[in-house]
């Protein structure tokens, strides 16, 4: 049985993430979306539970997806869950250096293989951080994230103004 991980921060999930998750779900028996608990990044906009709920909602149409949290090394999480693949989306050449380095490190640590999927061109400029920034200043993110995520972003930034 093939089990793949789609790891990330998902703060919040974008159409770019969803594209990779959907395409992975067609290639593997099961896909675990692995949401990191302790990102090396500034404070998150959404809590882990909020990110998990949004991911659940936007992947509800896919039968073979689980949403889980992890902390520590991704390869330890992969081993504990019997995963034999990591799937990453590559948006542009600028993603490649770091992704290659992580893939090689994960391969050295555990033997797990990383598979790269080329991001669909209409999503190649998307990142959660840019989406947060656009939404923070009132920009229209409706073509970048699913409707329920756009709603949560608007609510979050309106809350901040009160
Ligand atoms: O969405 P992000 O923040 O770009 O995702 C990065 C993530 C979570 C995939 C990456 O930071 C990761 O795998 N972290 C887990 C820690 C780990 O295993 N580090 C060694 C990787 S070489």
């Amino acid at each position: 049985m093939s089990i793949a991980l789609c790891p990330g921060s998902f703060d919040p999930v974008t159409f770019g993430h969803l594209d990779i998750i959907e395409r992975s779900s067609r290639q593997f028996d099961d896909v675990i979306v692995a949401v990191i608990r302790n990102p090396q990044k500034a404070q998150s906009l959404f809590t882990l539970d909020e990110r998990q709920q949004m991911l659940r909602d936007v992947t509800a149409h896919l039968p073979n997806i689980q949403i889980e949290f992890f902390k520590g090394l991704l390869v330890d999480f992969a081993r504990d869950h019997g995963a034999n693949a990591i799937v990453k989306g590559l948006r542009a050449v600028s993603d490649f250096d770091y992704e290659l380095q992580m893939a090689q490190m994960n391969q050295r640590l555990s033997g797990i293989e990383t598979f790269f999927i080329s991001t669909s061109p209409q999503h190649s400029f998307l990142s959660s951080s840019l989406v947060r920034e656009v939404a923070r200043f009132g920009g229209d993110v409706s073509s970048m994230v699913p409707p329920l995520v756009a709603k949560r972003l608007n609510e979050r930034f309106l809350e901040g103004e009160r």
Side-chain angles (χ1 to χ4, degrees):
M1 175 160 180
S2 61
I3 303 177
L5 300 181
C6 286
S9 310
F10 304 102
D11 187 33
V13 59
T14 68
F15 277 136
H17 293 129
L18 196 51
D19 174 45
I20 299 301
I21 294 168
E22 283 174 343
R23 288 159 67 196
S24 302
S25 81
R26 295 198 285 270
Q27 301 299 328
F28 296 91
D29 296 322
D30 279 324
V31 172
I32 303 175
V33 178
V35 184
I36 189 163
R37 276 184 188 276
N38 52 345
Q40 312 267 319
K41 290 184 180 171
Q43 204 177 339
S44 307
L45 178 63
F46 291 105
T47 66
L48 277 172
D49 287 339
E50 289 171 327
R51 283 182 266 158
Q52 184 185 43
Q53 192 54 56
M54 285 187 272
L55 277 162
R56 283 220 172 105
D57 289 344
V58 302
T59 59
H61 59 296
L62 301 170
N64 57 344
I65 303 282
Q66 295 171 53
I67 319 290
E68 305 273 355
F69 301 129
F70 79 102
K71 62 179 177 182
L73 288 177
L74 184 62
V75 293
D76 290 338
F77 178 84
R79 187 198 54 228
D80 294 346
H81 289 74
N84 33 37
I86 295 168
V87 178
K88 294 288 193 77
L90 281 183
R91 290 169 294 194
V93 175
S94 51
D95 280 343
F96 183 74
D97 281 354
Y98 187 49
E99 291 297 344
L100 178 66
Q101 207 178 0
M102 284 200 286
Q104 289 171 332
M105 177 62 82
N106 287 330
Q107 221 278 340
R108 172 69 60 88
L109 289 171
S110 69
I112 195 163
E113 298 293 357
T114 297
F115 294 81
F116 293 113
I117 294 183
S118 56
T119 296
S120 297
Q122 69 270 29
H123 304 314
S124 63
F125 63 96
L126 276 184
S127 68
S128 295
S129 57
L130 271 185
V131 165
R132 289 197 303 271
E133 184 170 314
V134 171
R136 185 185 305 276
F137 296 112
D140 179 6
V141 295
S142 58
S143 66
M144 304 168 202
V145 293
L148 75 95
V149 177
K151 183 166 174 284
R152 298 301 301 268
L153 280 163
N154 287 335
E155 287 166 359
R156 182 56 41 99
F157 288 120
L158 284 176
E159 277 164 20
E161 279 177 11
R162 278 188 208 125

